[in-house]
Amino acid sequence: MDNEYKPDLITLIDEDNVEHNFEILDTVENEKGVFYALYPIFDTAEESVEDSGEYYIMEVIDENGEEELAEVEDEALLDELSAIFEKHFEEMFDDVEEE
């Protein structure tokens, strides 16, 4: 049996055409849409240590049949999603600590 962890990775291209790599930490799908919690992947250990540890919440949008990600601009929705993701993270880490 293979218990090796394999992260879900995604590459996003910003408005300056620069690629950024992220790990998909979690996904929430509800009546308001589909949302990803993304954590940046760093090229060096120094960048990782200097990082604030923040993750990004992005909305999955269907753009003419192609999936795109967009920032969540509604502050109330962002707060709601943050609470959901934080609860999921707590549950995930509680399970790891119990093993």
Coordinates of all heavy atoms in Angstrom, one line a residue:
M1 N 0.8 -1.2 0.0 CA 0.0 0.0 0.0 C 0.9 1.2 0.0 O 1.9 1.3 0.7 CB -0.9 0.0 1.2 CG -1.8 1.2 1.3 SD -3.2 1.1 2.4 CE -2.6 0.6 3.9
D2 N 0.5 2.2 -0.8 CA 1.3 3.5 -0.9 C 0.7 4.6 -0.1 O -0.4 5.1 -0.4 CB 1.4 3.9 -2.4 CG 2.2 5.1 -2.7 OD1 3.0 5.5 -1.7 OD2 2.2 5.6 -3.8
N3 N 1.3 4.9 1.0 CA 0.8 6.0 1.9 C 1.6 7.3 1.7 O 1.5 8.2 2.5 CB 0.9 5.5 3.4 CG -0.1 4.5 3.7 OD1 -1.1 4.4 3.1 ND2 0.3 3.7 4.7
E4 N 2.3 7.4 0.6 CA 3.1 8.6 0.4 C 2.2 9.7 0.0 O 1.3 9.6 -0.8 CB 4.1 8.3 -0.8 CG 5.0 9.5 -1.0 CD 6.0 9.2 -2.2 OE1 6.4 8.0 -2.3 OE2 6.4 10.1 -2.9
Y5 N 2.5 10.9 0.7 CA 1.7 12.1 0.4 C 2.1 12.7 -0.9 O 3.2 12.9 -1.3 CB 2.0 13.1 1.5 CG 1.4 14.5 1.3 CD1 0.0 14.7 1.4 CD2 2.2 15.5 0.9 CE1 -0.6 15.9 1.1 CE2 1.6 16.8 0.6 CZ 0.3 17.0 0.8 OH -0.3 18.2 0.5
K6 N 1.0 13.0 -1.7 CA 1.2 13.6 -3.0 C 0.3 14.9 -3.1 O -0.9 14.7 -3.2 CB 0.9 12.6 -4.2 CG 1.8 11.5 -4.2 CD 1.5 10.5 -5.3 CE 2.4 9.3 -5.3 NZ 1.8 8.1 -5.4
P7 N 0.9 16.0 -3.0 CA 0.1 17.3 -3.0 C -0.5 17.5 -4.4 O 0.0 17.1 -5.4 CB 1.1 18.3 -2.7 CG 2.4 17.8 -3.1 CD 2.4 16.3 -3.0
D8 N -1.7 18.2 -4.3 CA -2.3 18.7 -5.6 C -1.7 20.1 -5.9 O -1.8 21.0 -5.1 CB -3.8 18.9 -5.4 CG -4.5 17.5 -5.3 OD1 -4.1 16.6 -5.9 OD2 -5.6 17.5 -4.6
L9 N -1.0 20.2 -7.0 CA -0.3 21.4 -7.3 C -1.0 22.1 -8.5 O -1.6 21.4 -9.4 CB 1.2 21.1 -7.7 CG 2.0 20.4 -6.6 CD1 3.4 20.2 -7.1 CD2 2.0 21.2 -5.3
I10 N -0.9 23.4 -8.5 CA -1.5 24.2 -9.6 C -0.6 25.4 -9.9 O 0.1 25.9 -9.0 CB -2.9 24.7 -9.2 CG1 -3.6 25.3 -10.3 CG2 -2.9 25.6 -8.0 CD1 -5.1 25.6 -10.1
T11 N -0.5 25.7 -11.1 CA 0.3 26.9 -11.5 C -0.6 28.0 -12.1 O -1.5 27.7 -12.9 CB 1.3 26.5 -12.7 OG1 2.2 25.5 -12.2 CG2 2.2 27.7 -13.1
L12 N -0.5 29.2 -11.5 CA -1.3 30.3 -11.9 C -0.4 31.3 -12.6 O 0.8 31.5 -12.2 CB -2.0 30.9 -10.7 CG -3.0 30.0 -9.9 CD1 -3.6 30.8 -8.8 CD2 -4.0 29.4 -10.8
I13 N -0.9 32.0 -13.6 CA -0.2 33.1 -14.3 C -0.8 34.4 -13.9 O -2.0 34.6 -14.1 CB -0.2 32.8 -15.8 CG1 0.5 31.4 -16.1 CG2 0.6 33.9 -16.5 CD1 0.3 31.0 -17.5
D14 N 0.0 35.3 -13.4 CA -0.6 36.6 -13.0 C -0.7 37.6 -14.2 O -0.4 37.2 -15.3 CB 0.2 37.2 -11.8 CG 1.6 37.6 -12.2 OD1 1.9 37.8 -13.4 OD2 2.4 37.8 -11.2
E15 N -1.2 38.8 -13.9 CA -1.4 39.8 -15.0 C -0.1 40.2 -15.7 O -0.1 40.7 -16.8 CB -2.1 41.0 -14.4 CG -1.4 41.8 -13.4 CD -1.7 41.2 -12.0 OE1 -2.5 40.3 -11.8 OE2 -1.0 41.7 -11.0
D16 N 1.1 40.0 -15.0 CA 2.3 40.3 -15.6 C 2.9 39.1 -16.4 O 4.1 39.1 -16.7 CB 3.3 40.8 -14.6 CG 2.9 42.1 -13.9 OD1 2.3 42.9 -14.7 OD2 3.1 42.3 -12.7
N17 N 2.1 38.0 -16.5 CA 2.5 36.8 -17.2 C 3.6 36.0 -16.4 O 4.4 35.3 -17.0 CB 3.0 37.1 -18.6 CG 2.4 36.0 -19.6 OD1 1.5 35.4 -19.3 ND2 3.1 35.9 -20.7
V18 N 3.6 36.2 -15.1 CA 4.6 35.5 -14.3 C 3.9 34.2 -13.6 O 2.8 34.4 -13.1 CB 5.1 36.4 -13.1 CG1 6.1 35.6 -12.2 CG2 5.8 37.6 -13.7
E19 N 4.5 33.1 -13.7 CA 4.0 31.9 -13.1 C 4.2 31.8 -11.6 O 5.3 32.1 -11.2 CB 4.6 30.6 -13.8 CG 4.2 30.5 -15.2 CD 4.7 29.2 -15.8 OE1 5.4 28.4 -15.2 OE2 4.3 28.9 -17.0
H20 N 3.2 31.3 -10.9 CA 3.3 31.1 -9.5 C 2.7 29.7 -9.2 O 1.6 29.4 -9.7 CB 2.5 32.1 -8.7 CG 2.9 33.5 -9.0 ND1 3.9 34.1 -8.3 CD2 2.5 34.5 -9.9 CE1 4.1 35.4 -8.7 NE2 3.2 35.6 -9.7
N21 N 3.4 28.9 -8.4 CA 3.0 27.6 -8.1 C 2.4 27.5 -6.7 O 2.9 28.2 -5.7 CB 4.2 26.6 -8.1 CG 4.8 26.5 -9.5 OD1 4.1 26.4 -10.5 ND2 6.1 26.7 -9.6
F22 N 1.3 26.8 -6.6 CA 0.6 26.6 -5.3 C 0.2 25.2 -5.1 O 0.0 24.4 -6.0 CB -0.7 27.4 -5.4 CG -0.5 28.9 -5.5 CD1 -0.4 29.5 -6.7 CD2 -0.5 29.7 -4.4 CE1 -0.3 30.9 -6.8 CE2 -0.3 31.1 -4.5 CZ -0.2 31.7 -5.7
E23 N 0.0 24.9 -3.8 CA -0.6 23.6 -3.4 C -2.0 23.9 -3.1 O -2.3 24.8 -2.4 CB 0.1 23.0 -2.2 CG -0.5 21.7 -1.7 CD 0.2 21.1 -0.5 OE1 1.2 21.7 0.0 OE2 -0.3 20.1 0.0
I24 N -2.9 23.0 -3.6 CA -4.3 23.1 -3.2 C -4.5 22.4 -1.9 O -4.4 21.2 -1.8 CB -5.3 22.5 -4.3 CG1 -5.0 23.1 -5.6 CG2 -6.7 22.6 -3.8 CD1 -5.8 22.5 -6.8
L25 N -4.7 23.2 -0.8 CA -4.9 22.7 0.5 C -6.2 22.0 0.8 O -6.4 21.0 1.4 CB -4.7 23.8 1.6 CG -3.3 24.4 1.6 CD1 -3.3 25.6 2.6 CD2 -2.2 23.4 1.9
D26 N -7.3 22.6 0.2 CA -8.6 22.2 0.4 C -9.5 22.8 -0.6 O -9.2 23.8 -1.2 CB -9.1 22.6 1.8 CG -10.3 21.9 2.3 OD1 -10.7 20.9 1.7 OD2 -10.8 22.3 3.4
T27 N -10.7 22.2 -0.8 CA -11.7 22.7 -1.7 C -13.1 22.7 -1.0 O -13.4 21.8 -0.2 CB -11.9 21.7 -2.9 OG1 -10.6 21.6 -3.5 CG2 -12.9 22.2 -3.9
V28 N -13.8 23.8 -1.2 CA -15.1 24.0 -0.7 C -16.1 24.2 -1.8 O -15.8 25.0 -2.7 CB -15.3 25.2 0.3 CG1 -16.7 25.5 0.6 CG2 -14.5 24.9 1.6
E29 N -17.1 23.3 -1.9 CA -18.1 23.5 -2.9 C -19.5 23.6 -2.2 O -19.9 22.8 -1.4 CB -18.1 22.3 -3.8 CG -19.1 22.4 -5.0 CD -18.9 21.3 -6.0 OE1 -17.9 20.5 -5.9 OE2 -19.8 21.2 -6.9
N30 N -20.1 24.8 -2.5 CA -21.4 25.0 -1.9 C -22.3 25.8 -2.9 O -21.9 25.9 -4.1 CB -21.3 25.8 -0.6 CG -20.6 27.1 -0.7 OD1 -20.6 27.7 -1.7 ND2 -20.0 27.6 0.4
E31 N -23.4 26.3 -2.4 CA -24.4 27.0 -3.3 C -23.8 28.3 -3.9 O -24.3 28.8 -4.9 CB -25.7 27.2 -2.6 CG -25.6 28.3 -1.5 CD -25.1 27.7 -0.2 OE1 -24.9 26.5 0.0 OE2 -24.8 28.5 0.7
K32 N -22.7 28.8 -3.3 CA -22.1 30.0 -3.8 C -21.0 29.8 -4.8 O -20.5 30.7 -5.3 CB -21.6 30.8 -2.6 CG -22.7 31.2 -1.7 CD -22.3 32.0 -0.4 CE -23.5 32.3 0.4 NZ -23.1 32.9 1.7
G33 N -20.6 28.5 -4.9 CA -19.6 28.2 -5.9 C -18.6 27.2 -5.4 O -18.8 26.5 -4.4
V34 N -17.5 27.1 -6.2 CA -16.4 26.2 -5.8 C -15.2 27.1 -5.5 O -14.8 28.0 -6.2 CB -16.0 25.3 -7.0 CG1 -14.8 24.4 -6.6 CG2 -17.2 24.4 -7.4
F35 N -14.5 26.8 -4.3 CA -13.4 27.6 -3.9 C -12.2 26.8 -3.4 O -12.4 25.7 -2.9 CB -13.9 28.5 -2.7 CG -15.1 29.3 -3.0 CD1 -16.4 28.8 -2.8 CD2 -15.0 30.6 -3.5 CE1 -17.5 29.5 -3.1 CE2 -16.1 31.3 -3.8 CZ -17.4 30.8 -3.6
Y36 N -11.0 27.3 -3.7 CA -9.8 26.6 -3.3 C -9.1 27.4 -2.3 O -9.0 28.6 -2.4 CB -8.8 26.4 -4.5 CG -9.3 25.5 -5.6 CD1 -8.7 25.7 -6.9 CD2 -10.1 24.4 -5.4 CE1 -9.1 24.8 -7.9 CE2 -10.5 23.6 -6.4 CZ -9.9 23.8 -7.7 OH -10.3 22.9 -8.7
A37 N -8.5 26.7 -1.3 CA -7.5 27.3 -0.4 C -6.1 26.9 -1.0 O -5.8 25.7 -1.1 CB -7.6 26.7 1.0
L38 N -5.3 27.9 -1.4 CA -4.0 27.7 -2.0 C -2.9 28.2 -1.1 O -3.0 29.3 -0.6 CB -4.0 28.4 -3.3 CG -5.1 28.1 -4.4 CD1 -4.9 29.0 -5.6 CD2 -5.0 26.7 -4.8
Y39 N -1.8 27.4 -1.1 CA -0.6 27.8 -0.4 C 0.5 27.9 -1.3 O 0.7 26.9 -2.1 CB -0.3 26.8 0.8 CG 0.8 27.2 1.7 CD1 0.6 28.3 2.6 CD2 2.0 26.7 1.5 CE1 1.6 28.7 3.4 CE2 3.1 27.1 2.4 CZ 2.8 28.1 3.3 OH 3.9 28.6 4.1
P40 N 1.3 29.0 -1.3 CA 2.4 29.1 -2.3 C 3.5 28.0 -2.1 O 3.8 27.7 -1.0 CB 2.9 30.5 -2.1 CG 2.3 31.0 -0.8 CD 1.2 30.1 -0.5
I41 N 4.0 27.6 -3.2 CA 5.2 26.7 -3.2 C 6.4 27.6 -3.5 O 6.4 28.4 -4.4 CB 5.1 25.6 -4.3 CG1 3.8 24.8 -4.2 CG2 6.3 24.8 -4.4 CD1 3.8 24.0 -2.9
F42 N 7.4 27.4 -2.7 CA 8.6 28.3 -2.8 C 9.8 27.6 -3.5 O 9.9 26.4 -3.4 CB 9.0 28.8 -1.4 CG 7.9 29.6 -0.8 CD1 7.1 29.1 0.2 CD2 7.7 30.9 -1.2 CE1 6.1 29.8 0.7 CE2 6.7 31.7 -0.6 CZ 5.9 31.1 0.4
D43 N 10.6 28.3 -4.1 CA 11.8 27.8 -4.8 C 12.9 27.5 -3.9 O 13.7 26.6 -4.1 CB 12.3 28.7 -5.9 CG 11.3 28.9 -7.0 OD1 10.5 27.9 -7.3 OD2 11.2 30.0 -7.6
T44 N 13.0 28.2 -2.8 CA 14.1 28.0 -1.8 C 13.6 27.9 -0.4 O 12.5 28.4 -0.1 CB 15.1 29.2 -1.9 OG1 14.5 30.4 -1.3 CG2 15.6 29.5 -3.3
A45 N 14.4 27.3 0.4 CA 14.0 27.1 1.8 C 14.0 28.5 2.5 O 13.1 28.7 3.4 CB 15.0 26.2 2.6
E46 N 14.8 29.4 2.1 CA 14.8 30.8 2.7 C 13.5 31.5 2.4 O 13.0 32.1 3.3 CB 16.0 31.6 2.1 CG 17.3 31.1 2.5 CD 18.4 31.5 1.6 OE1 18.2 32.1 0.5 OE2 19.6 31.4 2.0
E47 N 13.0 31.4 1.2 CA 11.7 32.0 0.9 C 10.6 31.4 1.8 O 9.7 32.1 2.3 CB 11.3 31.8 -0.6 CG 12.1 32.6 -1.5 CD 11.8 32.2 -3.0 OE1 11.6 31.0 -3.3 OE2 11.7 33.2 -3.8
S48 N 10.6 30.1 2.0 CA 9.6 29.4 2.8 C 9.7 29.9 4.2 O 8.6 30.1 4.8 CB 9.9 27.9 2.7 OG 8.9 27.2 3.4
V49 N 10.9 30.0 4.8 CA 11.0 30.5 6.2 C 10.5 31.9 6.3 O 9.9 32.3 7.3 CB 12.5 30.3 6.6 CG1 12.7 31.0 7.9 CG2 12.9 28.9 6.7
E50 N 10.8 32.7 5.3 CA 10.4 34.2 5.4 C 8.9 34.4 5.2 O 8.4 35.4 5.5 CB 11.2 35.0 4.4 CG 12.7 35.0 4.7 CD 13.5 35.6 3.6 OE1 13.0 36.1 2.6 OE2 14.7 35.7 3.8
D51 N 8.2 33.4 4.7 CA 6.8 33.5 4.3 C 6.0 33.7 5.6 O 6.3 33.1 6.7 CB 6.3 32.3 3.6 CG 4.8 32.4 3.2 OD1 4.5 33.3 2.5 OD2 4.1 31.5 3.6
S52 N 4.9 34.4 5.5 CA 4.0 34.7 6.6 C 3.1 33.5 6.9 O 2.4 33.5 8.0 CB 3.1 35.9 6.3 OG 2.2 35.6 5.2
G53 N 3.0 32.5 6.1 CA 2.2 31.3 6.3 C 0.7 31.5 5.9 O -0.1 30.7 6.2
E54 N 0.4 32.6 5.2 CA -0.9 32.8 4.8 C -1.3 32.0 3.5 O -0.4 31.7 2.7 CB -1.1 34.3 4.4 CG -1.0 35.2 5.6 CD -1.2 36.7 5.2 OE1 -1.4 37.0 4.0 OE2 -1.2 37.5 6.1
Y55 N -2.5 31.6 3.4 CA -3.0 30.9 2.2 C -4.0 31.8 1.5 O -4.4 32.8 2.1 CB -3.7 29.6 2.6 CG -4.9 29.7 3.5 CD1 -6.1 29.8 2.9 CD2 -4.7 29.7 4.9 CE1 -7.3 29.9 3.7 CE2 -5.9 29.8 5.7 CZ -7.1 29.9 5.1 OH -8.2 30.0 5.9
Y56 N -4.3 31.5 0.3 CA -5.1 32.3 -0.6 C -6.4 31.6 -0.9 O -6.4 30.4 -1.1 CB -4.4 32.7 -1.9 CG -3.2 33.5 -1.6 CD1 -1.9 32.8 -1.5 CD2 -3.2 34.8 -1.5 CE1 -0.8 33.5 -1.3 CE2 -2.0 35.6 -1.3 CZ -0.8 34.9 -1.2 OH 0.4 35.6 -0.9
I57 N -7.5 32.3 -0.9 CA -8.8 31.7 -1.2 C -9.2 32.2 -2.6 O -9.3 33.4 -2.8 CB -9.9 32.0 -0.2 CG1 -9.5 31.4 1.1 CG2 -11.3 31.5 -0.7 CD1 -10.5 31.8 2.3
M58 N -9.4 31.2 -3.6 CA -9.7 31.6 -4.9 C -11.0 30.9 -5.3 O -11.3 29.8 -4.9 CB -8.6 31.2 -5.9 CG -7.2 31.7 -5.5 SD -7.1 33.5 -5.7 CE -6.8 33.6 -7.5
E59 N -11.8 31.6 -6.2 CA -13.0 31.1 -6.7 C -12.8 30.5 -8.1 O -12.1 31.1 -8.9 CB -14.1 32.1 -6.8 CG -15.4 31.7 -7.3 CD -16.5 32.8 -7.3 OE1 -16.1 33.9 -7.1 OE2 -17.6 32.4 -7.5
V60 N -13.4 29.3 -8.3 CA -13.3 28.7 -9.6 C -14.4 29.2 -10.5 O -15.6 29.2 -10.1 CB -13.5 27.1 -9.5 CG1 -13.4 26.5 -10.9 CG2 -12.4 26.5 -8.6
I61 N -14.0 29.8 -11.6 CA -15.0 30.4 -12.5 C -14.9 29.7 -13.9 O -13.8 29.4 -14.4 CB -14.7 31.9 -12.7 CG1 -14.9 32.6 -11.3 CG2 -15.6 32.5 -13.7 CD1 -14.5 34.0 -11.3
D62 N -16.1 29.4 -14.5 CA -16.1 28.9 -15.8 C -16.1 30.0 -16.8 O -17.1 30.8 -16.9 CB -17.4 28.0 -16.0 CG -17.5 27.4 -17.3 OD1 -16.7 27.7 -18.2 OD2 -18.4 26.5 -17.5
E63 N -15.0 30.1 -17.6 CA -14.9 31.2 -18.5 C -14.9 30.5 -19.9 O -13.9 30.0 -20.4 CB -13.5 31.9 -18.3 CG -13.3 33.2 -18.8 CD -14.4 34.3 -18.3 OE1 -14.8 34.3 -17.1 OE2 -14.8 35.0 -19.2
N64 N -16.1 30.5 -20.6 CA -16.2 29.9 -21.9 C -15.8 28.5 -21.9 O -15.1 28.1 -22.8 CB -15.5 30.7 -23.0 CG -16.0 32.1 -23.1 OD1 -17.2 32.4 -23.0 ND2 -15.1 33.1 -23.3
G65 N -16.2 27.7 -20.9 CA -15.9 26.3 -20.9 C -14.5 26.0 -20.3 O -14.1 24.8 -20.2
E66 N -13.7 27.0 -20.0 CA -12.4 26.8 -19.4 C -12.4 27.2 -17.9 O -13.0 28.3 -17.6 CB -11.3 27.6 -20.1 CG -11.1 27.0 -21.5 CD -9.7 27.4 -22.0 OE1 -8.8 27.6 -21.2 OE2 -9.6 27.5 -23.2
E67 N -11.8 26.4 -17.0 CA -11.8 26.8 -15.6 C -10.7 27.8 -15.4 O -9.6 27.6 -15.7 CB -11.5 25.5 -14.9 CG -11.7 25.6 -13.4 CD -11.5 24.2 -12.7 OE1 -12.5 23.4 -12.7 OE2 -10.4 23.9 -12.3
E68 N -11.1 28.9 -14.7 CA -10.2 29.9 -14.3 C -10.4 30.2 -12.8 O -11.4 29.9 -12.2 CB -10.4 31.2 -15.1 CG -10.0 31.1 -16.5 CD -10.1 32.4 -17.3 OE1 -10.1 33.5 -16.6 OE2 -10.0 32.4 -18.5
L69 N -9.4 30.8 -12.2 CA -9.5 31.1 -10.8 C -9.5 32.6 -10.6 O -8.7 33.3 -11.3 CB -8.3 30.5 -10.0 CG -8.2 29.0 -9.9 CD1 -7.0 28.6 -9.1 CD2 -9.5 28.4 -9.4
A70 N -10.3 33.1 -9.7 CA -10.4 34.6 -9.4 C -10.3 34.8 -7.9 O -10.8 34.0 -7.2 CB -11.6 35.1 -10.1
E71 N -9.8 36.0 -7.6 CA -9.9 36.4 -6.2 C -11.3 36.6 -5.7 O -12.1 37.0 -6.5 CB -9.1 37.7 -6.0 CG -7.6 37.5 -6.2 CD -6.9 38.8 -5.9 OE1 -7.1 39.4 -4.8 OE2 -6.1 39.3 -6.8
V72 N -11.5 36.2 -4.4 CA -12.9 36.4 -3.8 C -12.8 37.9 -3.3 O -12.0 38.2 -2.4 CB -13.1 35.4 -2.7 CG1 -14.5 35.8 -2.0 CG2 -13.1 34.0 -3.2
E73 N -13.7 38.7 -3.9 CA -13.7 40.1 -3.5 C -14.7 40.5 -2.5 O -14.6 41.5 -1.8 CB -13.8 41.0 -4.8 CG -12.6 40.8 -5.7 CD -12.7 41.7 -7.0 OE1 -13.6 42.6 -7.0 OE2 -11.9 41.4 -7.9
D74 N -15.7 39.7 -2.3 CA -16.8 39.9 -1.3 C -16.2 39.6 0.1 O -16.0 38.4 0.4 CB -18.0 39.1 -1.6 CG -19.1 39.2 -0.7 OD1 -18.9 39.5 0.5 OD2 -20.3 39.0 -1.1
E75 N -16.0 40.6 0.9 CA -15.4 40.4 2.2 C -16.2 39.5 3.1 O -15.7 38.6 3.9 CB -15.2 41.8 2.9 CG -14.1 42.6 2.4 CD -12.7 42.0 2.5 OE1 -12.4 41.4 3.5 OE2 -12.0 42.1 1.5
A76 N -17.6 39.6 3.1 CA -18.4 38.7 3.9 C -18.2 37.2 3.5 O -18.1 36.3 4.3 CB -19.9 39.1 3.8
L77 N -18.2 37.0 2.2 CA -18.0 35.7 1.6 C -16.6 35.1 2.0 O -16.5 34.0 2.4 CB -18.2 35.6 0.1 CG -18.0 34.3 -0.6 CD1 -18.9 33.2 0.0 CD2 -18.2 34.4 -2.1
L78 N -15.6 36.0 1.9 CA -14.3 35.6 2.2 C -14.2 35.2 3.7 O -13.5 34.2 4.0 CB -13.3 36.8 1.9 CG -11.8 36.5 1.9 CD1 -11.5 35.4 0.9 CD2 -11.1 37.8 1.6
D79 N -14.8 36.0 4.6 CA -14.8 35.6 6.0 C -15.5 34.3 6.2 O -15.0 33.5 7.0 CB -15.5 36.7 6.8 CG -14.7 38.0 6.9 OD1 -13.5 38.0 6.6 OD2 -15.3 39.0 7.2
E80 N -16.6 34.1 5.6 CA -17.4 32.8 5.7 C -16.5 31.6 5.2 O -16.4 30.6 5.9 CB -18.6 32.9 4.8 CG -19.5 31.6 4.8 CD -20.7 31.8 3.9 OE1 -21.2 32.9 3.7 OE2 -21.1 30.7 3.4
L81 N -15.8 31.8 4.1 CA -15.0 30.7 3.5 C -13.8 30.5 4.4 O -13.4 29.3 4.6 CB -14.5 31.1 2.1 CG -15.6 31.1 1.1 CD1 -15.2 31.7 -0.2 CD2 -16.1 29.7 0.8
S82 N -13.2 31.5 4.9 CA -12.1 31.4 5.9 C -12.4 30.5 7.1 O -11.7 29.7 7.5 CB -11.6 32.8 6.3 OG -11.0 33.5 5.3
A83 N -13.6 30.8 7.6 CA -14.0 30.0 8.8 C -14.2 28.5 8.4 O -13.8 27.6 9.2 CB -15.4 30.6 9.3
I84 N -14.8 28.3 7.2 CA -14.9 26.9 6.8 C -13.6 26.2 6.6 O -13.4 25.1 7.1 CB -15.8 26.8 5.5 CG1 -17.2 27.3 5.7 CG2 -15.7 25.4 4.9 CD1 -18.0 27.5 4.5
F85 N -12.7 26.9 5.9 CA -11.4 26.3 5.7 C -10.6 26.1 7.0 O -10.0 25.0 7.2 CB -10.5 27.2 4.7 CG -10.9 27.0 3.3 CD1 -11.3 28.1 2.5 CD2 -10.8 25.8 2.6 CE1 -11.6 28.0 1.2 CE2 -11.2 25.6 1.3 CZ -11.5 26.7 0.5
E86 N -10.7 27.0 7.9 CA -10.0 26.9 9.2 C -10.5 25.7 10.0 O -9.7 25.0 10.6 CB -10.1 28.2 10.0 CG -9.3 29.4 9.4 CD -7.8 29.2 9.4 OE1 -7.3 28.5 10.3 OE2 -7.2 29.7 8.5
K87 N -11.8 25.5 9.9 CA -12.4 24.3 10.6 C -11.9 23.1 10.0 O -11.5 22.1 10.7 CB -13.9 24.4 10.5 CG -14.6 23.3 11.3 CD -16.1 23.4 11.3 CE -16.7 22.2 12.0 NZ -18.1 22.0 11.8
H88 N -11.8 23.0 8.6 CA -11.3 21.8 7.9 C -9.9 21.6 8.3 O -9.5 20.4 8.6 CB -11.4 22.0 6.4 CG -12.8 21.9 5.9 ND1 -13.1 22.0 4.5 CD2 -14.0 21.7 6.5 CE1 -14.4 21.9 4.3 NE2 -15.0 21.7 5.5
F89 N -9.1 22.6 8.4 CA -7.6 22.5 8.7 C -7.5 21.9 10.1 O -6.7 21.0 10.4 CB -6.9 23.8 8.6 CG -6.9 24.4 7.2 CD1 -6.7 25.7 7.0 CD2 -7.0 23.5 6.1 CE1 -6.7 26.3 5.7 CE2 -6.9 24.1 4.8 CZ -6.8 25.4 4.6
E90 N -8.3 22.4 11.1 CA -8.2 21.9 12.5 C -8.6 20.5 12.5 O -7.9 19.7 13.2 CB -9.2 22.7 13.3 CG -8.8 24.1 13.7 CD -9.8 24.9 14.5 OE1 -10.7 24.2 15.1 OE2 -9.7 26.1 14.5
E91 N -9.6 20.1 11.8 CA -10.0 18.6 11.7 C -8.9 17.8 11.1 O -8.7 16.7 11.6 CB -11.3 18.5 11.0 CG -12.5 19.1 11.7 CD -13.8 19.2 10.8 OE1 -13.7 18.8 9.6 OE2 -14.8 19.6 11.3
M92 N -8.3 18.3 10.1 CA -7.2 17.5 9.4 C -6.1 17.3 10.4 O -5.5 16.2 10.5 CB -6.8 18.2 8.1 CG -7.7 18.0 7.0 SD -7.0 18.6 5.4 CE -7.2 20.4 5.5
F93 N -5.7 18.4 11.1 CA -4.5 18.3 11.9 C -4.8 17.5 13.2 O -4.0 16.8 13.8 CB -3.9 19.6 12.3 CG -3.2 20.2 11.1 CD1 -3.7 21.4 10.5 CD2 -2.1 19.6 10.6 CE1 -3.0 21.9 9.4 CE2 -1.4 20.2 9.4 CZ -1.9 21.3 8.9
D94 N -6.1 17.5 13.7 CA -6.5 16.7 14.8 C -6.4 15.2 14.5 O -5.9 14.4 15.3 CB -7.9 17.0 15.2 CG -8.0 18.3 16.0 OD1 -7.0 18.8 16.5 OD2 -9.2 18.8 16.2
D95 N -6.7 14.9 13.3 CA -6.6 13.5 12.8 C -5.2 13.0 12.8 O -4.8 11.9 13.2 CB -7.3 13.3 11.4 CG -8.8 13.3 11.5 OD1 -9.4 13.2 12.6 OD2 -9.4 13.5 10.4
V96 N -4.3 13.9 12.3 CA -2.9 13.6 12.2 C -2.3 13.4 13.6 O -1.5 12.5 13.8 CB -2.1 14.7 11.4 CG1 -0.6 14.5 11.5 CG2 -2.5 14.7 10.0
E97 N -2.6 14.3 14.5 CA -2.1 14.2 15.9 C -2.5 12.9 16.6 O -1.8 12.4 17.5 CB -2.5 15.4 16.7 CG -1.7 16.7 16.2 CD -2.2 17.9 16.9 OE1 -3.0 17.8 17.9 OE2 -1.8 19.0 16.5
E98 N -3.7 12.4 16.3 CA -4.3 11.3 17.0 C -3.6 10.0 16.5 O -3.6 9.0 17.2 CB -5.8 11.2 16.8 CG -6.5 12.2 17.5 CD -8.0 12.3 17.2 OE1 -8.5 11.4 16.5 OE2 -8.7 13.2 17.7
E99 N -3.0 10.0 15.3 CA -2.4 8.7 14.8 C -1.1 8.4 15.4 O -0.5 8.9 16.2 CB -2.2 8.9 13.3 CG -3.4 9.0 12.5 CD -3.2 9.2 11.0 OE1 -2.1 9.3 10.6 OE2 -4.2 9.3 10.3

